[in-house]
Amino acid sequence: MIPFRFLFLVAVVLILPACSAGGRIMNALQTDEGVSVARGIAYGSLPRQKYDLYSPVNAKPDAPVIVFIYGGSWHSGDRKDYAFIGDALARHGFVTAIADYRLYPKVIFPAFVEDEAKAVAAIAKQVGAGHPLFIMGHSAGAQIGALVVLDPHYLKAEGVDVCRRISGFIGLAGPYAALPLHRERYRRIFPEDVRASAVPVNFAAGKHPPSLLIAGESDLVVDPDNTADLAKALKQAGNRVEVSDYRHVGHMLLVGSLAKPLRQFAPTLREIKRFVRRESRQVAPFCGR
């Protein structure tokens, strides 16, 4: 049994802004048994257009697939730092893909959303139609994932019909209603003339796949009201949405709680498992059910 003091230290690291440092610690605590990993699969021609695929060794022929999009304020992040998520989800029966995407300052919005849409399309083709497909993201990754799901033009450009292929969206602490425009960097990432199209709540009208939106009430990075606002807008449009708010859980601990040493702090993994397994029993079209 891991001592509580060690868990506390790991939690502190995850709460700090250095997401990659926390990810490396979590990765070091994972074992390779029971999970097969294919690394560096190209979904495009550019250096950061690659993904890693984590599969249960004895994966079922119709195992659900989760595409996880990490955060990093649109200017940092690496798929290697989130191996603990691929490992955790694969150990519970889910094939999991983690794709890199281009970052600021090399690109601005909407390039990173287009990258993830391209990745989703490539992953959907690789795993085949028999696997339910979910998009999941944390922080900036949740904003990107929400746009891929809610604004259908991104996947349509890649030959994918959202309503016929995406079984659901899982969002962790995403800035869905208010972009962080308090810093000049973010104003450059999201130029004023395209800013409205970068806000997921603006696309909540219409029919969309079901969503599971999770936030930590102690989040000091992304206001949890973003989750409430998106949930309200989706429900008003007749879409199915589940919302969970965890007390005493901050921004990084929310995603960190997917790792085995931190699961006692939040039931994140349990809720994701329940949502994915339930929605995987549905048949297309997935929108507006």
Side-chain angles (χ1 to χ4, degrees):
M1 182 175 180
I2 300 175
F4 180 80
R5 283 192 301 175
F6 177 77
L7 293 177
F8 178 77
L9 289 173
V10 174
V12 169
V13 171
L14 286 168
I15 292 170
L16 293 175
C19 307
S20 60
R24 285 192 293 270
I25 290 177
M26 292 296 96
N27 293 341
L29 295 175
Q30 309 298 326
T31 64
D32 294 329
E33 298 177 2
V35 176
S36 173
V37 186
R39 303 187 190 278
I41 304 170
Y43 68 85
S45 60
L46 300 176
R48 283 191 61 85
Q49 292 179 332
K50 292 182 173 66
Y51 67 91
D52 295 343
L53 192 68
Y54 299 78
S55 304
V57 168
N58 297 313
K60 295 181 179 179
D62 59 348
V65 176
I66 299 175
V67 180
F68 175 75
I69 308 173
Y70 55 76
S73 300
W74 307 279
H75 65 80
S76 64
D78 191 292
R79 66 185 190 275
K80 297 190 299 293
D81 295 330
Y82 295 87
F84 72 94
I85 290 179
D87 182 273
L89 294 173
R91 289 181 185 281
H92 287 82
F94 308 135
V95 177
T96 305
I98 304 177
D100 282 334
Y101 51 92
R102 288 173 292 167
L103 302 167
Y104 177 83
K106 290 189 175 181
V107 301
I108 60 173
F109 175 84
F112 36 78
V113 186
E114 294 168 346
D115 279 2
E116 284 297 334
K118 184 183 291 291
V120 168
I123 293 160
K125 183 177 181 180
Q126 178 182 352
V127 300
H131 296 261
L133 184 60
F134 295 81
I135 296 177
M136 170 181 165
H138 171 249
S139 193
Q143 179 257 0
I144 294 170
L147 287 173
V148 172
V149 174
L150 301 180
D151 183 351
H153 96 268
Y154 288 107
L155 283 178
K156 185 176 180 180
E158 302 298 332
V160 177
D161 184 326
V162 170
C163 289
R164 300 203 64 82
R165 192 64 186 94
I166 305 302
S167 298
F169 170 64
I170 303 163
L172 310 178
Y176 311 115
L179 298 172
L181 300 175
H182 55 288
R183 294 183 181 177
E184 178 62 26
R185 172 193 287 166
Y186 299 126
R187 293 192 288 271
R188 292 174 182 168
I189 293 173
F190 300 102
E192 188 172 0
D193 61 334
V194 296
R195 217 165 271 169
S197 60
V199 180
V201 75
N202 291 341
F203 299 93
K207 301 304 179 184
H208 303 291
S211 297
L212 170 63
L213 304 179
I214 304 176
E217 292 184 1
S218 297
D219 194 330
L220 300 179
V221 179
V222 175
D223 190 335
D225 285 348
N226 279 271
T227 294
D229 291 345
L230 180 58
K232 180 180 179 181
L234 287 170
K235 288 178 180 178
Q236 287 178 338
N239 295 291
R240 290 198 297 113
V241 187
E242 294 183 40
V243 181
S244 293
D245 298 299
Y246 301 154
R247 295 183 61 192
H248 310 304
V249 174
H251 191 69
M252 288 308 300
L253 184 55
L254 181 62
V255 69
S257 65
L258 290 170
K260 189 173 182 179
L262 298 178
R263 287 175 196 163
Q264 63 176 296
F265 292 103
T268 315
L269 180 61
R270 184 170 70 242
E271 294 212 22
I272 291 170
K273 286 165 50 181
R274 176 186 52 76
F275 176 79
V276 170
R277 288 172 178 169
R278 186 190 68 210
E279 298 303 331
S280 293
R281 295 193 291 268
Q282 306 299 325
V283 294
F286 303 109
C287 295
R289 288 181 287 106

